[in-house]
Amino acid sequence: MTAVDGIRVLVADDDPDIRDLVEFKLTQAGYAVQAVGDGLSAWEAFQEQAPSLVILDVMMPGLSGIDVLRKIRESGAATVPVLLLSAKSRDSDVDTGFAVGADDYVIKPFSPRELLHRVNGILARVR
Amino acid sequence: MTGRDLLWASSALVLLACLALVLLIVLTKVTRTVRERRTAELVAPHRPHLLAVASGEDEGGTHRDALIEVDGPARDAVDVVVVDLLGKVRGAPAEELASVLLAHGAVDRAPHDLRDRSTLKRARAAHILGLCHVGAALPLLVQALGDPAPEVRVAATRALGRIGEPTASAALLAAVGADRVVPAGPAADALEGMGVGISGSLRDALSASSPTTRTVAAYLSGEGSFSRSLDALRVALACDDDPTVREAAAVALGRMGRAADVVALLRETGADRPRALRRACAAALGELGEPSAVVGLTALLGDPDPRLAEIAATSLLLLGPAGRSALDSAASNPSVETARALARLQAGAA
């Protein structure tokens, strides 16, 4: 058993490769991952599963990652950490992410190892 | 043949053409779906290896070796997914994925494929050369900037950006303004990826014959604060034939200019200048942050162009106490009031 065994992480990305990759990396590390492919499913899964951390792509069909983040911050579980994983790399995009309440912002193409470190770091701070 | 017959015949022809078009679209979609399904089926047994390599969970190289061993039709299918994944990860996993392509001969084939008749193959070849950082392919990629197919030109542009070799910057800047144009957005991104080594090319491109090239060069000079471009930017602001280039030069000077540039920027806010240029210069004066611009900007507060007056007021706020005081004592008008409200908001947020 590792310290992270069973901790629930919700991953939302419309790119199946990224979804599978993040799920694989985090599962290998011991997290319990649920992966979905659009913003609406992410919001529904968030309400049903009460994850300990959420990883959101920004550009998704239907609700964007920013929309989902905003809903999370306005919900009763507003303190759940959210990490944005996005190809949008301009300063203004990163600023918007943090302004809406993201705890971290990782730009694609990304290092899966770095992503894992950031997830571990965020969860260590909030637990 | 009567007029009625002609009408029927032409209607039938139009209907047939529509049917043929619908059939073609359906056929293309079906072919693509079948091809994607076939690729997915071929890749499925190797997907765990792909994910392990791409996620950096392959310390002994076992999964990479398994991918290298893949043969037959599955090899091409695996390569397609490897190329896709390569664009999504960086660091050691990207290097491992590139080594699979190298072992499969995809990298060696890419220079040859850049001359293939298939547009898709040429674009993919350029993509692979960029993803695998094949510096030796630079001349071929530069040549591909003039490819007849726009998707190949864009792929070559992105590949040059990934390789990041600044010697390609002059060709890329020229391609932005060529007949077979390379879009300015991807070109600017690629040039930014080449780092400070592009400063000489940027300065030279400010006197290129194409206004698009000059605009991109001015924009990037400001974005990267390339001081070697300063003199050329001043010339562009004062004399360029193209108003867009002059606006881009104003923006760049706002970011990286000196106190002496206030006079030139103020001159271009004159009532006889194009409206967009006047606005760009007023904003640039705020960005520049030189208090010597206060008087000139204050004079713009009563301009008939309300947007220009608003920009001038906002710029005054950026000039510190002198600018703020000028704004406070200016005669009231809607633009001044907007800027004052903004100032109050900023003070409240601080």
Side-chain angles (χ1 to χ4, degrees), chain A residues 15-18 20-21 24-25 28-29 90 106-114 116, chain B residues 47-48 51-52 54-57 59 81 84-85 87-90 93 162 189 192 219:
Chain A
D15 181 334
D17 283 339
I18 301 271
D20 290 353
L21 199 58
F24 184 88
K25 185 73 182 175
Q28 290 284 313
R90 298 203 179 273
V106 174
I107 292 167
K108 299 174 189 169
F110 68 106
S111 156
R113 180 185 291 259
E114 183 189 322
L116 177 62
Chain B
R47 193 140 181 97
L51 290 175
S55 64
E57 294 287 337
E59 288 194 4
V81 181
D84 281 349
L85 287 169
K88 294 164 188 170
V89 295
R90 60 178 176 78
R162 278 183 178 269
D189 287 344
E192 278 181 328
Y219 168 79

Side-chain angles (χ1 to χ4, degrees), chain B residues 18-108:
Chain B
C18 288
L19 278 174
L21 194 65
V22 169
L23 202 67
L24 186 71
I25 291 169
V26 171
L27 204 67
T28 308
K29 284 199 170 179
V30 169
T31 309
R32 187 187 296 163
T33 309
V34 168
R35 196 170 53 222
E36 283 171 359
R37 253 187 220 158
R38 172 87 179 127
T39 303
E41 280 168 14
L42 286 168
V43 167
H46 311 290
R47 193 140 181 97
H49 300 305
L50 285 160
L51 290 175
V53 174
S55 64
E57 294 287 337
D58 185 29
E59 288 194 4
T62 324
H63 296 287
R64 182 203 54 212
D65 293 344
L67 290 174
I68 289 173
E69 289 301 312
V70 175
D71 215 345
R75 174 176 279 203
D76 287 343
V78 163
D79 284 355
V80 168
V81 181
V82 168
V83 170
D84 281 349
L85 287 169
L86 251 176
K88 294 164 188 170
V89 295
R90 60 178 176 78
E95 286 167 23
E96 293 300 306
L97 288 168
S99 75
V100 174
L101 289 180
L102 198 65
H104 284 181
V107 180
D108 291 338

Side-chain angles (χ1 to χ4, degrees), chain B:
Chain B
M1 191 180 265
T2 66
R4 182 182 282 257
D5 291 339
L6 267 175
L7 189 68
W8 274 109
S10 56
S11 300
L13 268 175
V14 169
L15 193 68
L16 271 173
C18 288
L19 278 174
L21 194 65
V22 169
L23 202 67
L24 186 71
I25 291 169
V26 171
L27 204 67
T28 308
K29 284 199 170 179
V30 169
T31 309
R32 187 187 296 163
T33 309
V34 168
R35 196 170 53 222
E36 283 171 359
R37 253 187 220 158
R38 172 87 179 127
T39 303
E41 280 168 14
L42 286 168
V43 167
H46 311 290
R47 193 140 181 97
H49 300 305
L50 285 160
L51 290 175
V53 174
S55 64
E57 294 287 337
D58 185 29
E59 288 194 4
T62 324
H63 296 287
R64 182 203 54 212
D65 293 344
L67 290 174
I68 289 173
E69 289 301 312
V70 175
D71 215 345
R75 174 176 279 203
D76 287 343
V78 163
D79 284 355
V80 168
V81 181
V82 168
V83 170
D84 281 349
L85 287 169
L86 251 176
K88 294 164 188 170
V89 295
R90 60 178 176 78
E95 286 167 23
E96 293 300 306
L97 288 168
S99 75
V100 174
L101 289 180
L102 198 65
H104 284 181
V107 180
D108 291 338
R109 277 197 307 276
H112 179 262
D113 287 351
L114 264 180
R115 290 188 288 271
D116 198 274
R117 281 176 60 191
S118 154
T119 301
L120 194 69
K121 222 168 179 176
R122 294 201 304 280
R124 192 160 168 266
H127 194 44
I128 288 174
L129 291 168
L131 287 170
C132 295
H133 297 93
V134 184
L138 222 59
L140 286 172
L141 288 169
V142 165
Q143 208 176 339
L145 292 174
D147 193 281
E151 50 270 61
V152 178
R153 299 200 292 272
V154 171
T157 300
R158 295 204 167 114
L160 287 169
R162 278 183 178 269
I163 293 171
E165 175 52 59
T167 50
S169 58
L172 194 45
L173 280 160
V176 170
D179 291 338
R180 285 175 175 173
V181 68
V182 164
D189 287 344
L191 286 159
E192 278 181 328
M194 293 177 185
V196 293
I198 65 169
S199 62
S201 302
L202 286 181
R203 183 201 53 210
D204 297 345
L206 279 163
S207 53
S209 57
S210 154
T212 314
T213 296
R214 299 199 300 277
T215 303
V216 171
Y219 168 79
L220 287 174
S221 294
E223 282 286 299
S225 294
F226 288 103
S227 55
R228 283 176 80 178
S229 296
L230 263 176
D231 288 340
L233 285 169
R234 288 168 182 142
V235 172
L237 176 67
C239 318
D240 202 286
D241 296 335
D242 189 285
T244 311
V245 178
R246 296 172 75 187
E247 283 168 43
V251 173
L253 284 171
R255 293 200 171 164
M256 57 182 290
R258 307 284 185 259
D261 293 310
V262 168
V263 175
L265 284 166
L266 275 175
R267 189 185 311 122
E268 301 306 324
T269 63
D272 57 335
R273 302 298 203 262
R275 177 186 285 185
L277 177 62
R278 299 178 75 205
R279 291 175 179 178
C281 288
L285 285 162
E287 282 279 310
L288 197 55
E290 284 295 328
S292 58
V294 167
V295 176
L297 283 170
T298 307
L300 294 175
L301 292 175
D303 196 273
D305 173 6
R307 181 71 192 125
L308 174 63
E310 200 173 304
I311 292 169
T314 309
S315 285
L316 279 169
L317 288 175
L318 298 173
L319 300 187
R324 199 169 288 249
S325 160
L327 187 63
D328 286 342
S329 52
S332 177
N333 70 34
S335 306
V336 171
E337 288 311 316
T338 303
R340 281 178 182 152
L342 183 66
R344 277 195 295 275
L345 280 172
Q346 285 171 344

Side-chain angles (χ1 to χ4, degrees), chain A:
Chain A
M1 286 273 287
T2 66
V4 302
D5 271 347
I7 292 179
R8 282 197 296 273
V9 176
L10 172 64
V11 177
D13 201 307
D14 61 338
D15 181 334
D17 283 339
I18 301 271
R19 218 161 52 226
D20 290 353
L21 199 58
V22 175
E23 183 175 8
F24 184 88
K25 185 73 182 175
L26 296 184
T27 306
Q28 290 284 313
Y31 289 101
V33 179
Q34 186 187 1
V36 297
D38 62 83
L40 191 59
S41 304
W43 174 236
E44 286 169 358
F46 176 81
Q47 291 171 300
E48 287 165 15
Q49 306 291 325
S52 298
L53 181 137
V54 182
I55 298 177
L56 293 171
D57 177 24
V58 170
M59 291 179 287
M60 287 190 289
L63 286 178
S64 74
I66 296 290
D67 293 334
V68 178
L69 171 56
R70 201 170 274 129
K71 277 176 160 298
I72 290 173
R73 291 296 174 247
E74 288 165 359
S75 73
T79 55
V80 172
V82 175
L83 183 152
L84 293 176
L85 177 61
S86 175
K88 297 183 85 164
S89 60
R90 298 203 179 273
D91 286 350
S92 56
D93 300 320
V94 179
D95 290 347
T96 303
F98 281 111
V100 177
D103 294 90
D104 207 345
Y105 196 108
V106 174
I107 292 167
K108 299 174 189 169
F110 68 106
S111 156
R113 180 185 291 259
E114 183 189 322
L115 179 73
L116 177 62
H117 286 316
R118 286 175 184 254
V119 167
N120 289 340
I122 294 172
L123 286 170
R125 280 194 295 277
V126 299
R127 291 177 79 85

